[in-house]
Amino acid sequence: MSDRLEVRKTYKLLINGAFPRSESGRSYEVMSAKGEFLANAAQGSRKDVRDAVVGARAAQSKWWSASAYNRGQVIYRLAEMAESRSDELVEFVKLSEGVKSDVAKATVAKSIDRIVWYAGWTDKISQVLGGSNPVAGPFYNFSVPKPTGVIGVIAPQDSSLEGFVECVIAPIAAGNSVIALASEKRPVPAVLLGEMTETSDFPAGVLNIVTGLTSELAPGLSSHEDIDGLDLEGADEALADELAFLAAGSIKRVLRPGKKIQKNSIHRLRAFVETSTVWHTIGQ
Amino acid sequence: MTENNLPNSKLGSLQYDPAPESAAIAKLKSSYGLFINGKFTDPSKHEQFETINPATENQLATISQGSASDVDKAVKAARKAYDNVWSKTTGAERAKYLYRIARIIQERSRELAVVETLDNGKPIRESRDVDIPLAAAHFFYYAGWADKLEHAGFGNSPKPIGVAGQIIPWNFPLMMAAWKLAPALAAGNTCVLKPAETTPLSALILAEIIQQAGLPDGVVNIVTGDGATGSALVDHPGVDKIAFTGSTGVGRLIQQRVATSHKRLTLELGGKGANIVYEDAPIDEMIEGIIDGIFFNQGHVCCAGSRLLVQESIADDVLRRLVRRVEQLRVGDPMDKNTDIGAINSLEQLKRINELVAYGEQEGATRYTSSCELPKKGFWFAPTVFADVSQSHRIAREEIFGPVLSVLTFRTPEEAITKANNTNYGLACGVWSEKGSRTLWTAERLRAGVVWANTYNKFDPTSPFGGTRESGFGREGGKHGLEAYLNV
């Protein structure tokens, strides 16, 4: 037993590149899987979500106008940062999810490898999902997948890091910006990853993380008119129905929960891109 | 004459002798049943309605009003056909059925063109040269995919979804039926198609064609009726997928209704397309392109270039030329091969156009309307251009779905992009410039599913079509169009 009194850290929101407490001034206690105090986290509000949307909207066009090569490097840099702080991630995955050290280690390793996998996709999506179309006429016609825009993510409640990475990095790799609601009871690994984006050249606003009560925050996220797509992975069946209904108000693209995350699937890349087709005349 | 002082055109006064197509070619029956399980059947409640020719208000045929129980029969027939036949039919065999359908559409193209023009009011030139050939081409294109699905980029053995419920609009009746049915069948689904209330006829001829092609019973079912019929289809628990083309308002309701089910959904909704004209655009092609962009099919086009954004330096000249060209458009008998602009599809739609145009005047835009003479009977609206339109005007924000163009101006390319994207829609845009780099720069920044550069309103089965934002999601055409009907 050490005599030293530990310095406890409060885990804050990530909004538009800054780490504020909730504008509501609220925080909540995060417990380990065993029910012991783990940390204090900001309890975000609907206003925090709206602020995040403003930042995400502005960031999205910047992120998309960077070269695909550059976006890949930024995401790869996140993997580097996560690797160097992997002990910390392992510790919190272990405590949050209540798993043994070797399981937590494997989870963190898989999560980091997944970030690397997605980093490599930024400059390949267009070639895989786009192409030229042989129309019957004097036109050069090509299709490219453009990002859907601003994506709201209800991150998985159980898989605090690996599931979070899957739901958040895929749309970012496709050129979107993201507002993620971290797992309500296990938010710390997500917040840690958010901190790492700060040292990975992520432009402010590309990834925003709001911690707090899913039932309070998810409806506002789902009905927000300046959000273009919604990943409901972390919502249970009843909540997913409610949120999908709200999302329909502005014709959002909705990814419903339940599809098993497969190692090699580009399902989540495909979910939040819009095929844009250009016809150009050919002539002398 | 200088550029800015154009002579009055004498073309407007040129008369052409009438060259009407014969309505007898349509060989219409006096009444049509519902096409369920391979047979034309009477509706269970014996309710019927008339479909009329919007150019004359004459009745064309009596159509069956499909009830919820008819929809149920159709869905059950589709399910049975899926389980027992279609899911066991090889891709190569499905392909041959689709090729047959494509061929018969070609064989019966003249008849179909006449039917389409009678029922819809569009010029025969357009149904003959655009709607029917594209419908055949769509079946031909997707036929070839049926036995090559593993090459489409959706995994090694992509599976169909099951029973698809498909609801289509009245603006391109046969073409929309083809856009829905061809990819669905190629991917291995069975279908229940609900044609629009005011334009059911070509889909019913297509049902005959499907019989001629020997397609197994129940693989395609066609249930005519009004919104209640469509609603029953959307709510039917036996349907695995809904594909809808129509207004954003109805699309939103459908998405809400489907939200609590596990039905897959694709939506192709409204638009308020910006047609951006830079000062270096090739002037003659550009004027024709603007005209095509808004007046094609009486402006009943979801991707119509209904907001013209002209660079300020050439705005006066472009407006003068446009107004002159509008005056030359031949409005009248859709069956006449020389007609440019036919009838508005329905009285309801005509009212909607009149209402929005009245707002245009109230809100202070300057109206130019062709002085053409309109027929006494039928539904007509003379082609109209509004100048001095600002972004907040209703005619700049709402889809009019008629032959009405709103003209706005811009100074810099950045301003053009901002104005073009200042809408909740995101279906299609046009760009006119001789400078390739500027065109591509513009296309990159437009939030739209389709961008036409130095052309407008072009369609092709190989080219994905569909919207972003509130113009809907999902694509029709190309390999992308398969995704809507595969379990991926």
Side-chain angles (χ1 to χ4, degrees):
Chain A
M1 245 355 218
S2 161
D3 293 336
R4 183 173 176 273
L5 192 67
E6 65 174 331
V7 178
R8 285 180 175 172
K9 169 176 168 183
T10 295
Y11 288 82
K12 299 202 281 185
L13 309 176
L14 171 52
I15 294 178
N16 201 21
F19 292 91
R21 293 192 157 80
S22 170
E23 61 79 36
S24 65
R26 301 174 305 177
S27 66
Y28 70 117
E29 290 192 347
V30 176
M31 301 301 189
S32 73
K34 286 183 184 160
E36 289 158 355
F37 175 82
L38 193 60
N40 284 311
Q43 187 184 331
S45 67
R46 286 163 181 259
K47 175 74 163 71
D48 291 320
V49 169
R50 291 199 297 274
D51 290 345
V53 175
V54 174
R57 173 60 65 196
Q60 195 273 324
S61 52
K62 266 185 228 156
W63 179 235
W64 177 238
S65 62
S67 70
Y69 177 45
N70 179 247
R71 277 181 275 127
Q73 286 187 306
V74 169
I75 296 173
Y76 183 76
R77 180 70 178 156
L78 176 63
E80 291 180 341
M81 287 298 143
E83 186 88 10
S84 70
R85 285 175 67 179
S86 62
D87 288 349
E88 198 179 356
L89 287 169
V90 168
E91 183 65 11
F92 277 98
V93 166
K94 188 180 90 179
L95 293 171
S96 299
E97 300 187 8
V99 294
K100 295 210 167 85
S101 284
D102 57 338
V103 175
K105 260 186 195 162
T107 299
V108 170
K110 273 196 281 181
S111 304
I112 295 171
D113 289 354
R114 194 63 168 174
I115 297 173
V116 172
W117 191 72
Y118 276 121
W121 265 113
T122 57
D123 51 6
K124 294 162 193 76
I125 302 171
S126 286
Q127 290 169 320
V128 171
L129 300 185
S132 73
N133 310 306
V135 295
F139 302 97
Y140 181 63
N141 177 303
F142 61 96
S143 294
V144 292
K146 285 189 186 173
T148 295
V150 177
I151 308 300
V153 172
I154 319 288
Q157 301 295 343
D158 296 334
S159 184
S160 61
L161 183 67
E162 196 183 356
F164 183 85
V165 162
E166 179 66 24
C167 295
V168 159
I169 302 301
I172 288 176
N176 300 283
S177 60
V178 165
I179 297 126
L181 304 188
S183 164
E184 179 176 319
K185 295 203 163 65
R186 305 171 174 181
V188 176
V191 175
L192 285 175
L193 195 76
E195 290 175 2
M196 295 169 198
T197 63
E198 278 305 283
T199 45
S200 311
D201 301 322
F202 265 66
V206 168
L207 174 60
N208 303 272
I209 302 174
V210 183
T211 53
L213 309 184
T214 304
S215 60
E216 181 191 0
L217 300 173
L221 187 75
S222 305
S223 61
H224 197 297
E225 293 215 348
D226 207 25
I227 290 182
D228 304 298
L230 198 60
D231 185 340
L232 296 178
E233 190 61 34
D236 63 28
E237 190 74 16
L239 181 62
D241 281 356
E242 183 198 328
L243 300 179
F245 180 88
L246 293 173
S250 57
I251 322 283
K252 290 183 181 64
R253 291 87 181 102
V254 177
L255 192 57
R256 291 197 60 113
K259 200 145 185 156
K260 201 167 173 288
I261 294 169
Q262 283 169 343
K263 207 174 142 211
N264 255 326
S265 171
I266 57 167
H267 184 60
R268 277 200 151 68
L269 287 173
R270 210 194 282 281
F272 297 117
V273 294
E274 313 282 323
T275 299
S276 179
T277 299
V278 178
W279 296 64
H280 200 293
T281 45
I282 295 175
Q284 289 189 323
Chain B
M1 285 296 162
T2 64
E3 279 282 289
N4 290 327
N5 188 13
L6 294 165
N8 287 330
S9 165
K10 294 188 180 68
L11 272 178
S13 58
L14 271 185
Q15 295 298 315
Y16 287 76
D17 284 335
E21 183 59 288
S22 162
I25 292 167
K27 291 185 284 188
L28 288 174
K29 295 178 181 138
S30 61
S31 71
Y32 288 87
L34 307 169
F35 184 65
I36 296 175
N37 204 26
K39 288 154 205 77
F40 282 96
T41 56
D42 289 334
S44 59
K45 288 192 174 159
H46 305 287
E47 283 177 24
Q48 293 176 316
F49 60 97
E50 303 295 329
T51 186
I52 62 165
N53 179 346
T56 62
E57 300 176 56
N58 292 336
Q59 293 181 358
L60 292 169
T62 304
I63 304 298
S64 302
Q65 164 71 27
S67 65
S69 89
D70 295 316
V71 168
D72 183 55
K73 276 182 208 156
V75 171
K76 283 180 175 145
R79 172 65 57 193
K80 200 171 141 212
Y82 179 78
D83 289 341
N84 297 347
V85 184
W86 203 238
S87 61
K88 294 171 184 161
T89 306
T90 64
E93 294 294 300
R94 294 200 305 274
K96 286 193 284 182
Y97 283 117
L98 293 178
Y99 282 125
R100 276 190 187 177
I101 293 170
R103 268 288 183 261
I104 305 171
I105 290 173
Q106 289 172 329
E107 302 297 346
R108 295 177 68 171
S109 60
R110 192 170 173 201
E111 171 195 352
L112 282 164
V114 170
V115 169
E116 203 73 312
T117 285
L118 289 174
D119 207 15
N120 171 279
K122 65 175 65 198
I124 187 75
R125 183 167 50 83
E126 289 178 10
S127 45
R128 181 194 66 197
D129 295 347
V130 180
D131 293 62
I132 311 304
L134 276 176
H138 222 79
F139 276 104
F140 200 88
Y141 173 77
Y142 278 107
W145 268 123
D147 56 357
K148 301 169 190 68
L149 295 173
E150 67 274 25
H151 299 288
F154 304 104
N156 290 332
S157 105
K159 296 284 184 291
I161 298 171
V163 175
Q166 306 175 311
I167 300 170
I168 57 172
W170 45 261
N171 56 345
F172 295 94
L174 186 74
M175 194 168 104
M176 289 296 110
W179 281 26
K180 293 281 181 284
L181 293 173
L185 298 174
N189 304 271
T190 57
C191 302
V192 178
L193 178 81
K194 209 291 277 181
E197 185 183 1
T198 61
T199 56
L201 287 174
S202 56
L204 293 163
I205 308 295
L206 182 62
E208 292 177 8
I209 290 170
I210 284 165
Q211 285 181 323
Q212 279 182 290
L215 196 72
D217 292 347
V219 171
V220 171
N221 305 274
I222 298 175
V223 182
T224 49
D226 58 13
T229 313
S231 183
L233 186 57
V234 168
D235 287 341
H236 197 292
V239 171
D240 302 304
K241 191 241 154 64
I242 295 290
F244 171 76
T245 298
S247 71
T248 292
V250 176
R252 180 178 289 120
L253 289 175
I254 291 176
Q255 191 179 352
Q256 287 170 341
R257 297 257 283 273
V258 170
T260 51
S261 75
H262 283 271
K263 287 174 191 149
R264 293 267 309 271
L265 178 68
T266 44
L267 299 171
E268 204 272 88
L269 308 176
K272 192 72 192 176
N275 206 353
I276 299 172
V277 174
Y278 288 113
E279 60 189 1
D280 68 337
I283 189 99
D284 292 329
E285 290 103 303
M286 175 258 284
I287 295 293
E288 283 311 298
I290 296 169
I291 294 288
D292 267 347
I294 184 61
F295 298 120
F296 174 62
N297 203 32
Q298 296 72 247
H300 301 328
V301 184
C302 46
C303 52
S306 54
R307 280 186 300 152
L308 183 69
L309 298 177
V310 194
Q311 199 151 18
E312 219 170 69
S313 50
I314 57 165
D316 290 346
D317 185 34
V318 168
L319 183 63
R320 216 178 341 263
R321 286 170 190 266
L322 270 180
V323 168
R324 185 178 69 158
R325 183 70 184 84
V326 164
E327 194 61 31
Q328 294 161 353
L329 291 169
R330 288 179 296 269
V331 184
D333 183 9
M335 294 288 275
D336 192 314
K337 291 164 193 160
N338 294 318
T339 292
D340 295 315
I341 297 190
I344 300 303
N345 179 251
S346 66
L347 184 59
E348 191 192 349
Q349 186 58 31
L350 182 59
K351 283 180 183 162
R352 164 98 182 137
I353 296 168
N354 277 315
E355 184 195 325
L356 279 164
V357 162
Y359 273 107
E361 291 187 20
Q362 273 172 37
E363 291 184 328
T366 308
R367 176 177 178 172
Y368 300 91
T369 293
S370 166
S371 62
C372 64
E373 202 178 319
L374 297 177
K376 297 272 178 300
K377 285 193 79 185
F379 315 128
W380 304 90
F381 197 91
T384 293
V385 174
F386 275 107
D388 308 316
V389 178
S390 79
Q391 294 188 81
S392 59
H393 287 173
R394 281 186 70 177
I395 53 168
R397 307 204 67 80
E398 294 183 32
E399 186 175 38
I400 299 174
F401 223 64
V404 181
L405 178 67
S406 301
V407 183
L408 297 88
T409 59
F410 69 89
R411 286 188 183 174
T412 62
E414 286 81 5
E415 189 189 352
I417 298 292
T418 305
K419 285 187 167 171
N421 287 341
N422 181 14
T423 165
N424 288 342
Y425 293 116
L427 189 50
C429 286
V431 185
W432 295 83
S433 169
E434 286 287 42
K435 195 173 166 190
S437 56
R438 180 182 291 147
T439 298
L440 292 173
W441 181 92
T442 304
E444 232 174 37
R445 282 157 183 77
L446 290 170
R447 295 184 74 185
V450 181
V451 176
W452 285 292
N454 292 351
T455 185
Y456 208 96
N457 273 341
K458 292 288 185 295
F459 307 95
D460 191 278
T462 68
S463 180
F465 180 89
T468 69
R469 308 171 79 191
E470 295 195 9
S471 290
F473 44 77
R475 291 292 175 267
E476 298 183 290
K479 70 173 180 180
H480 298 81
L482 291 168
E483 187 182 349
Y485 294 100
L486 289 172
N487 203 358
V488 291

